[in-house]
Every structure is written in C-alpha cells, then in structure tokens.
Amino acid sequence: MQEPHPQRSTEAVLISEVGPRDGLQSVKATMPTHHKRAWIDALVAAGVQEIEVASFVPARLLPQMADAAEVARHALTHPGVCVMALVPNLKGAEAALHAGVHKLTMPVSASEAHSLANVRKTREQMIEEVRAIARLRDEIAPTVKLEAGISTAFGCTLQGAVAEDDVIWLAEACVKAGADESGLSDTTGMANPAQVKRLFTRLRRSLGSQAGAAHMHNTRGLGLANCLAAYEAGVRTFDASLGGLGGCPYAPGASGNVVTEDLVFMFEAMGIETGIDLARLLAARLPLSAGLPHEPLYGMTPEAGLPKGWQPASSRQAGLPS
Ligand code: ZN
C-alpha cells in the first residue's frame, strides 16, 4: 500500500476533509453518487490529502450513506490520498475494511448520556467495541489505521459538562484497546480556546504521538479560535468540512463543522503549510452545490474572496517573488 502521508515538516498541518461524511450525514437530502465522486475529485485536485468519504452504517438509518462502499472505492483510485471512513461499530468496520479504506474512525462519546442516546451503549461497551474492531483489523487488514474520535469531549447538549478526567481516561482506554490514536471532537460546538488548549495539552502529554485530530465545530463561532488553540497545544491534524456542512443529527442544535476554506486561509496566511491550493478549494464548492442544490454553504473566505497579493505559505517559504 502507498504511504498516504509523505514526510511533513513539524510546522505543517494536515487538514482532513470530513464533508462527504460529517457534512452529508447531517443534511436531509441525499447527494447522488456521481456528484459525490465529482466533489471528491475536486477536493483531491485542490491538494486535500485525507478525506473521510463515508459512514458505514445501515442504509435504513442513513440513506445518504447507502453508497459508502462505492464512494470509498472511487476515492481509492486517487493515489496518495488517505481514504477514511467512519464506522459506528464492528459491523461497519467489517464493511469498511472490505471496501479497502486506509483508515477507520470510530466515534466514542465521552458523555455517558450522549453514548446511550446515540448508540445505546455505555462507554465501557464502546471500549470493547474498539477492541473488537482492532482485532478484526489486525486479522484482515493490519496496515489500516484505527482512530478513536472522542466525541462530546468539550461538553454535551444532553448532560452539560463532561469531566476532563473522563475524556483523558476514555482516550487512553481506546488506545490501550488497540486504536492507533485518539482525537477529540467538539460534537456539540461547546468548546472554548482555553479548554481546547488545556485538554489537548493533557492528551498529548498522556498519549504522545498517539494523540489524534482536533474535530471542531463552528456552532458558536469559535471553530477557528479553537483550531488555533489546538495548534498551539501541538495538534497538527484538523478535521474540517467544505462549506461548513455538517453537525450531529443526534445532538440537537449542533450545526456546522469548521469551514475548510477558512481554516486553510488561516493557516496559509500564518505561513503554515496545508498542502491545499485555496483557489482550487474554493472551486470545489461548485460540485458540492451541484449535488446539494438546496443546501446553504457557509464560510467567510469564500464570501470575501482571496485578498489582493495573496501568497500561500509554500510560495513564501520558497522565497518566490510576489
Ligand atoms: Zn463533526
């Protein structure tokens, strides 16, 4: 298998596009498969190196994801792109592994109330599910990476505050159960930058290189500030969604992933390489709109456009004339 991520500098970030999964699962309309393929192609053309392409759930629960295997297989035709899939349980993991994805991401809720409402399992039962998935992965596709995404890590619309000790305990337990990494998700858009910095600092102290991605939502307008706080805590992988599509269907009032276009703009403007061409990324909104014509898209950078004399981080570091 091709190594999905070539060597990156310690300053550079990896932006993982989750729109085809997190975004699409939150909207009522179903995007036709050929539009999903065109959208993924446009993301790859913009330089996106990791894409969460689908969620492997029963079609009766999420008809938007009925074509998950087909979409994954299409994404796999792009060499060098890490193809990720969300799997809610062992059954989904089995289907995703058979589809040939490079990476599985399994959401594990830090809030007991959210876990019971969302998957009708306790957190301890979810740790056992991670263990079962890791075992299956070892058996049939040992090169596939498994990430546990600790959801509701910064608060929960059902239970309110989530104890930080619980979050760290759960992230550690998932790694001990066989996950390659544990990341933290602000599923309900309740995080603030001080909390993000504190919790990711603790996570990285505890898990080292097995500390995973920051998955931030923009529900209260703090998506970018929270990503920057995570960056300052040493995080280098960020989930984001083109046009800010997404949210969580099981967490009422939680809408809007951090907007990929705005996140790329922020990092590139700071001189931090994303590997993504912002103009081409903006163009990737076209196939997204074509496939979901009635869905509103968000983002400040797409509205304002690129500033005069815009220079991405790579051109500045290479010392190219302006
Ligand atoms: Zn999300």
Side-chain angles (χ1 to χ4, degrees), residues 21-22 215 217 247 257:
R21 194 282 302 172
D22 200 336
H215 180 105
H217 281 208
N257 279 291

Side-chain angles (χ1 to χ4, degrees), residues 21-255:
R21 194 282 302 172
D22 200 336
L24 291 186
Q25 81 169 43
S26 315
V27 299
K28 285 205 174 66
T30 297
M31 188 189 267
T33 309
H34 70 279
H35 282 293
K36 290 188 185 179
R37 286 199 299 256
W39 180 20
I40 288 169
D41 293 349
L43 291 167
V44 173
V48 175
Q49 298 126 64
E50 186 171 288
I51 307 177
E52 200 172 284
V53 295
S55 179
F56 281 76
V57 288
R60 72 187 151 77
L61 295 182
L62 271 179
Q64 299 95 316
M65 295 294 150
D67 56 1
E70 194 185 341
V71 173
R73 276 194 296 271
H74 174 74
L76 286 162
T77 62
H78 290 291
V81 173
C82 180
V83 178
M84 264 176 101
L86 184 135
V87 297
N89 51 34
L90 183 62
K91 212 165 169 204
E94 197 174 354
L97 289 170
H98 281 124
V101 303
H102 300 123
K103 192 169 172 181
L104 306 176
T105 177
M106 159 89 173
V108 180
S109 193
S111 149
E112 185 85 9
H114 184 263
S115 189
L116 289 170
N118 204 353
V119 291
R120 289 185 292 280
K121 284 191 177 124
T122 64
R123 295 173 299 180
E124 287 76 8
Q125 286 173 313
M126 289 302 281
I127 296 166
E128 288 317 305
E129 199 76 17
V130 169
R131 198 184 313 280
I133 291 172
R135 213 174 281 144
L136 179 73
R137 180 271 317 265
D138 293 346
E139 219 171 89
I140 67 175
T143 57
V144 170
K145 294 277 174 263
L146 171 61
E147 171 169 22
I150 309 300
S151 49
T152 62
F154 302 92
C156 168
T157 43
L158 300 171
Q159 91 173 36
V162 174
E164 295 186 1
D165 286 350
D166 283 17
V167 174
I168 301 299
W169 158 77
L170 191 57
E172 287 172 345
C174 288
V175 164
K176 280 189 200 127
D180 298 289
E181 50 189 42
S182 287
L184 303 181
S185 301
D186 184 22
T187 317
T188 57
M190 289 164 76
N192 68 70
Q195 181 190 22
V196 167
K197 198 165 182 180
R198 195 168 60 236
L199 213 45
F200 268 107
T201 300
R202 273 189 75 177
L203 185 77
R204 290 178 53 77
R205 200 176 296 144
S206 158
L207 293 181
S209 61
Q210 287 180 291
H215 180 105
M216 295 298 158
H217 281 208
N218 201 35
T219 315
R220 292 178 174 81
L222 294 186
L224 287 183
N226 287 334
C227 286
L228 188 57
Y231 182 84
E232 284 171 356
V235 175
R236 293 294 179 267
T237 305
F238 298 84
D239 292 353
S241 176
L242 198 77
L245 209 62
C248 173
Y250 306 102
S255 63

